Coordinates of all heavy atoms in Angstrom, one line a residue:
S1 N 11.2 -25.5 3.8 CA 10.3 -24.5 4.3 C 10.9 -23.7 5.4 O 12.0 -24.0 5.8 CB 9.1 -25.3 4.9 OG 9.6 -26.1 6.0
R2 N 10.3 -22.6 5.7 CA 10.8 -21.7 6.7 C 9.8 -21.3 7.7 O 8.6 -21.1 7.4 CB 11.6 -20.5 6.1 CG 10.7 -19.5 5.3 CD 11.6 -18.5 4.5 NE 12.6 -17.9 5.4 CZ 13.7 -17.2 4.9 NH1 13.8 -17.1 3.6 NH2 14.5 -16.6 5.7
D3 N 10.2 -21.1 9.0 CA 9.4 -20.6 10.0 C 10.0 -19.3 10.5 O 11.0 -19.3 11.2 CB 9.3 -21.6 11.2 CG 8.4 -21.2 12.3 OD1 8.2 -20.0 12.5 OD2 7.9 -22.1 13.0
N4 N 9.5 -18.2 10.1 CA 10.2 -16.9 10.3 C 10.1 -16.6 11.8 O 11.0 -15.9 12.3 CB 9.5 -15.8 9.5 CG 9.7 -16.1 8.0 OD1 10.7 -16.6 7.5 ND2 8.6 -15.9 7.2
A5 N 9.1 -17.0 12.5 CA 9.0 -16.7 13.9 C 10.1 -17.3 14.7 O 10.5 -16.8 15.8 CB 7.6 -17.1 14.5
K6 N 10.6 -18.5 14.2 CA 11.7 -19.2 14.8 C 13.0 -19.0 14.2 O 14.0 -19.7 14.6 CB 11.3 -20.7 14.9 CG 10.1 -21.0 15.7 CD 9.8 -22.5 15.7 CE 8.6 -22.8 16.6 NZ 8.3 -24.3 16.6
N7 N 13.1 -18.2 13.2 CA 14.3 -18.0 12.4 C 14.9 -19.3 12.0 O 16.1 -19.6 12.2 CB 15.4 -17.2 13.2 CG 15.1 -15.7 13.2 OD1 14.1 -15.3 12.6 ND2 15.9 -14.9 13.8
T8 N 14.1 -20.1 11.4 CA 14.5 -21.5 11.1 C 14.0 -21.9 9.7 O 13.0 -21.5 9.3 CB 13.8 -22.5 12.1 OG1 14.3 -22.2 13.4 CG2 14.2 -23.9 11.8
V9 N 14.9 -22.6 9.0 CA 14.6 -23.2 7.7 C 14.7 -24.8 7.9 O 15.7 -25.2 8.5 CB 15.5 -22.7 6.6 CG1 15.3 -23.5 5.3 CG2 15.2 -21.2 6.4
Y10 N 13.8 -25.5 7.3 CA 13.8 -26.9 7.4 C 14.0 -27.5 6.0 O 13.6 -27.0 5.0 CB 12.4 -27.4 7.9 CG 12.0 -26.9 9.3 CD1 11.2 -25.8 9.4 CD2 12.5 -27.4 10.5 CE1 10.8 -25.3 10.6 CE2 12.2 -26.9 11.7 CZ 11.3 -25.8 11.8 OH 11.0 -25.3 13.0
L11 N 14.6 -28.7 6.0 CA 14.7 -29.5 4.8 C 14.2 -30.9 5.2 O 14.9 -31.7 5.8 CB 16.2 -29.6 4.3 CG 16.3 -30.3 3.0 CD1 15.7 -29.5 1.9 CD2 17.8 -30.6 2.7
Q12 N 13.0 -31.1 4.7 CA 12.4 -32.4 4.9 C 12.8 -33.4 3.8 O 12.6 -33.1 2.6 CB 10.8 -32.3 4.9 CG 10.1 -33.7 4.9 CD 10.3 -34.4 6.2 OE1 10.2 -33.8 7.3 NE2 10.5 -35.7 6.2
M13 N 13.5 -34.5 4.1 CA 14.0 -35.4 3.2 C 13.3 -36.7 3.3 O 13.4 -37.4 4.3 CB 15.5 -35.5 3.4 CG 16.3 -34.2 3.4 SD 18.1 -34.4 3.5 CE 18.3 -35.2 5.1
N14 N 12.6 -37.1 2.2 CA 12.0 -38.4 2.2 C 12.6 -39.3 1.1 O 13.2 -38.8 0.2 CB 10.5 -38.2 1.9 CG 9.8 -37.4 3.0 OD1 10.1 -37.5 4.1 ND2 8.8 -36.6 2.5
G15 N 12.3 -40.6 1.2 CA 12.8 -41.5 0.1 C 14.3 -41.4 0.0 O 14.8 -41.4 -1.2
L16 N 15.0 -41.4 1.1 CA 16.5 -41.1 1.0 C 17.2 -42.3 0.3 O 16.8 -43.5 0.5 CB 17.0 -40.9 2.4 CG 16.7 -39.5 3.0 CD1 16.9 -39.5 4.5 CD2 17.7 -38.5 2.3
K17 N 18.2 -42.0 -0.4 CA 19.0 -42.9 -1.2 C 20.5 -42.8 -0.7 O 20.9 -41.8 -0.1 CB 19.0 -42.6 -2.6 CG 17.6 -42.5 -3.2 CD 17.6 -42.0 -4.7 CE 16.2 -41.9 -5.3 NZ 16.2 -41.4 -6.7
A18 N 21.2 -43.9 -1.0 CA 22.6 -43.9 -0.6 C 23.4 -42.6 -1.1 O 24.2 -42.1 -0.5 CB 23.3 -45.2 -1.1
E19 N 23.0 -42.2 -2.3 CA 23.7 -41.1 -2.9 C 23.3 -39.7 -2.3 O 23.9 -38.7 -2.6 CB 23.4 -41.0 -4.4 CG 21.9 -41.1 -4.8 CD 21.5 -42.5 -5.2 OE1 21.9 -43.5 -4.5 OE2 20.8 -42.7 -6.2
D20 N 22.4 -39.8 -1.3 CA 22.1 -38.5 -0.6 C 23.1 -38.4 0.6 O 23.1 -37.3 1.3 CB 20.7 -38.6 0.0 CG 19.6 -38.5 -1.1 OD1 19.8 -37.7 -2.1 OD2 18.6 -39.3 -1.0
T21 N 23.9 -39.3 0.8 CA 24.9 -39.3 1.9 C 25.9 -38.1 1.7 O 26.3 -37.9 0.6 CB 25.7 -40.6 2.0 OG1 24.8 -41.6 2.4 CG2 26.8 -40.5 3.0
G22 N 26.1 -37.4 2.8 CA 27.1 -36.3 2.7 C 26.9 -35.4 3.9 O 26.0 -35.6 4.8
E23 N 27.8 -34.4 4.0 CA 27.7 -33.3 4.9 C 26.8 -32.3 4.4 O 27.0 -31.8 3.2 CB 29.1 -32.7 5.2 CG 29.1 -31.8 6.4 CD 29.2 -32.5 7.7 OE1 29.3 -33.7 7.8 OE2 29.0 -31.8 8.8
Y24 N 25.8 -31.9 5.1 CA 24.8 -30.9 4.7 C 25.0 -29.6 5.4 O 25.1 -29.5 6.6 CB 23.3 -31.4 4.9 CG 22.9 -32.4 3.9 CD1 23.4 -33.7 3.9 CD2 21.9 -32.1 3.0 CE1 23.0 -34.7 3.0 CE2 21.4 -33.1 2.1 CZ 22.0 -34.3 2.1 OH 21.6 -35.2 1.1
Y25 N 25.0 -28.5 4.6 CA 25.2 -27.2 5.1 C 24.1 -26.3 4.7 O 23.5 -26.4 3.6 CB 26.5 -26.6 4.4 CG 27.7 -27.4 4.7 CD1 28.1 -28.4 3.8 CD2 28.6 -27.1 5.7 CE1 29.3 -29.1 4.0 CE2 29.7 -27.8 5.9 CZ 30.1 -28.9 5.1 OH 31.2 -29.6 5.3
C26 N 23.7 -25.3 5.6 CA 22.9 -24.3 5.2 C 23.7 -23.0 5.0 O 24.7 -22.8 5.6 CB 21.7 -24.1 6.1 SG 22.1 -23.6 7.8
A27 N 23.2 -22.1 4.2 CA 23.9 -20.9 3.9 C 22.9 -19.7 3.7 O 21.7 -20.0 3.3 CB 24.8 -21.1 2.7
A28 N 23.3 -18.5 3.8 CA 22.5 -17.3 3.7 C 23.1 -16.4 2.7 O 24.3 -16.2 2.6 CB 22.3 -16.6 5.1
T29 N 22.2 -15.7 2.0 CA 22.6 -14.6 1.1 C 21.6 -13.4 1.2 O 20.4 -13.6 1.3 CB 22.6 -15.1 -0.4 OG1 22.9 -14.0 -1.3 CG2 21.3 -15.7 -0.8
S30 N 22.2 -12.2 1.1 CA 21.4 -11.0 1.2 C 20.7 -10.8 -0.2 O 19.8 -9.9 -0.3 CB 22.3 -9.8 1.5 OG 23.3 -9.7 0.6

């Protein structure tokens, strides 16, 4: 989801599994 007033994007992660482990990055594209 994104909150444009805060220039923020969220990633809500539920039901996490061991295979979700890792370094998480956000990225932008025009």
Side-chain angles (χ1 to χ4, degrees):
S1 61
R2 64 190 308 166
D3 183 335
N4 299 318
K6 296 181 179 180
N7 281 4
T8 300
V9 172
Y10 303 98
L11 185 68
Q12 173 67 44
M13 307 187 295
N14 299 324
L16 283 163
K17 306 175 182 180
E19 50 264 43
D20 294 318
T21 294
E23 190 79 10
Y24 281 70
Y25 303 88
C26 64
T29 175
S30 58

